[in-house]
Amino acid sequence: MVRRSHNPQLYRVLLVGKDVSRLSSRANVLTQAGYRADPVLETEHAARRARVQRYHLAIVSSSFTVDEQLAIRARLQAVRPNLPVLFQIGRAHV
């Protein structure tokens, strides 16, 4: 079995959200870790990007409702069926 080292520069992440400053912040964190991160604000823009670019992961912000997150996942997977989609969830208030 060949073990391959993890090279984050080979991984591209699509970030989908409503808040420009949060998206930029998250993209900066991923970029500093060596990943390529593309933040987008609109679902259709995200779908177009996913159609033409090879993403390894899509992250959908907690700024969307659960129903919106599910709709975004469905739209992204309509153009890229094997694209993993991660939903961010809000913090529990204690």
Side-chain angles (χ1 to χ4, degrees), residues 16-23 40-41 61 63-65 68:
V16 186
K18 291 181 179 179
D19 184 332
V20 173
S21 64
R22 280 186 184 174
L23 278 176
V40 295
L41 292 171
S61 172
S63 61
F64 293 105
T65 66
E68 290 172 324

Side-chain angles (χ1 to χ4, degrees), residues 14-18 40-44 46-47 50 58-61 63-79 83 85-87:
L14 179 63
L15 299 169
V16 186
K18 291 181 179 179
V40 295
L41 292 171
E42 298 175 13
T43 303
E44 284 309 309
I59 301 175
V60 181
S61 172
S63 61
F64 293 105
T65 66
V66 172
D67 289 340
E68 290 172 324
Q69 288 179 327
L70 292 171
I72 292 167
R73 180 185 66 186
R75 184 67 185 105
L76 291 174
Q77 290 186 333
V79 296
L83 178 65
V85 179
L86 174 71
F87 296 151

Side-chain angles (χ1 to χ4, degrees), residues 10-62:
L10 299 177
Y11 293 91
R12 184 172 226 124
V13 180
L14 179 63
L15 299 169
V16 186
K18 291 181 179 179
D19 184 332
V20 173
S21 64
R22 280 186 184 174
L23 278 176
S24 295
S25 175
R26 290 175 180 146
N28 285 337
V29 168
L30 288 168
T31 301
Q32 288 174 5
Y35 295 91
R36 290 191 249 166
D38 297 330
V40 295
L41 292 171
E42 298 175 13
T43 303
E44 284 309 309
H45 185 211
R48 281 193 303 273
R49 301 265 329 228
R51 186 179 301 120
V52 298
Q53 194 66 250
R54 183 171 184 263
Y55 288 99
H56 296 89
L57 175 67
I59 301 175
V60 181
S61 172
S62 61

